[in-house]
Amino acid sequence: HRADLPWQLQCPDVWLESPDTYVMINETRRQRLASDVVCLKAFVVDLDCHQADDLEPEAARDQALARLDAAGLPRPHLCVETGRGVQLIWRLGRVGLKKAHRNAQVRWAKTQQALARICGPQADLSLVDLPRVIRLPGTVNTKATPARRVTRSSWIPGASTADYSFDELCDAALGVKRRAFVAAYVRK
């Protein structure tokens, strides 16, 4: 149990080293369905290293951070080593999905893709579903090699200590302000 991590990434002792245990990054009412997501809590980029020859997760993380820095984008808060790659996590201030934020789902998905493209070739571009899950740090990835089975998380040096604004991060990653984005991408 680590007090320096957000509650969503603190592994209860009973789950430590449990196999293939996941946590949802966005808040839901009941089930793992897009229609049940009530609040956006994070952006996540998944960097798959198991398919790249001789690319260590740390190197993939460092390459992605360098690309984000070069693009002038904020660094993610956390890195979760998954056993076969890394997940970079940007925490968000609470974004409720009410009628006033009906366009937030589309912007969230497009921003997920934009962040993944910027992070490089190891990034999985298909992870745009609202009920996204990530491995819970401290648990075991049974697909990983024995040396990397237990997942772990760490803070990213140079990242903000505060949650990012949804609008500011979307605007920066997409290169377009919300009003212009809605006019161009969202059907009325």
Side-chain angles (χ1 to χ4, degrees):
H1 191 63
R2 297 200 25 211
D4 63 328
L5 292 176
W7 69 268
Q8 298 96 325
L9 296 180
Q10 292 182 19
C11 185
D13 292 341
V14 21
W15 288 345
L16 277 174
E17 299 193 22
S18 295
D20 302 319
T21 306
Y22 303 89
V23 63
M24 206 170 323
I25 63 167
N26 291 315
E27 185 179 321
T28 63
R29 272 189 297 244
R30 293 179 289 272
Q31 301 178 51
R32 190 177 162 209
L33 300 170
S35 60
D36 281 342
V37 174
V38 295
C39 181
L40 302 176
K41 303 286 255 179
F43 287 108
V44 176
V45 171
D46 188 26
L47 304 172
D48 293 323
C49 299
H50 64 279
Q51 297 172 346
D53 293 334
D54 299 324
L55 183 64
E56 291 293 319
E58 296 82 6
R61 177 201 60 213
D62 292 345
Q63 289 173 10
L65 292 175
R67 287 171 173 264
L68 290 163
D69 291 344
L73 291 171
R75 286 182 160 219
H77 292 98
L78 296 162
C79 175
V80 176
E81 295 180 30
T82 64
R84 294 171 28 127
V86 294
Q87 293 168 327
L88 303 175
I89 303 171
W90 291 259
R91 294 181 328 203
L92 298 173
R94 193 171 201 286
V95 181
L97 294 179
K98 297 178 186 171
K99 192 168 185 139
H101 285 89
R102 69 181 188 275
N103 303 317
Q105 294 176 6
V106 175
R107 288 183 77 217
W108 183 86
K110 294 285 187 186
T111 301
Q112 280 278 124
Q113 288 178 325
L115 289 169
R117 276 193 298 279
I118 292 164
C119 284
Q122 284 73 40
D124 188 341
L125 298 175
S126 67
L127 300 182
V128 294
D129 55 318
L130 288 171
R132 166 73 18 218
V133 295
I134 62 172
R135 288 190 182 277
L136 182 63
T139 62
V140 174
N141 179 345
T142 58
K143 296 179 186 176
T145 61
R148 293 194 178 268
R149 287 196 126 169
V150 177
T151 59
R152 60 180 195 241
S153 62
S154 60
W155 291 105
I156 300 284
S160 171
T161 56
D163 291 350
Y164 291 119
S165 155
F166 176 75
D167 284 330
E168 289 174 8
L169 189 52
C170 289
D171 293 352
L174 297 171
V176 62
K177 298 281 186 195
R178 177 174 51 157
R179 185 166 278 163
F181 176 88
V182 170
Y185 292 102
V186 180
R187 293 184 183 157
K188 306 275 185 209

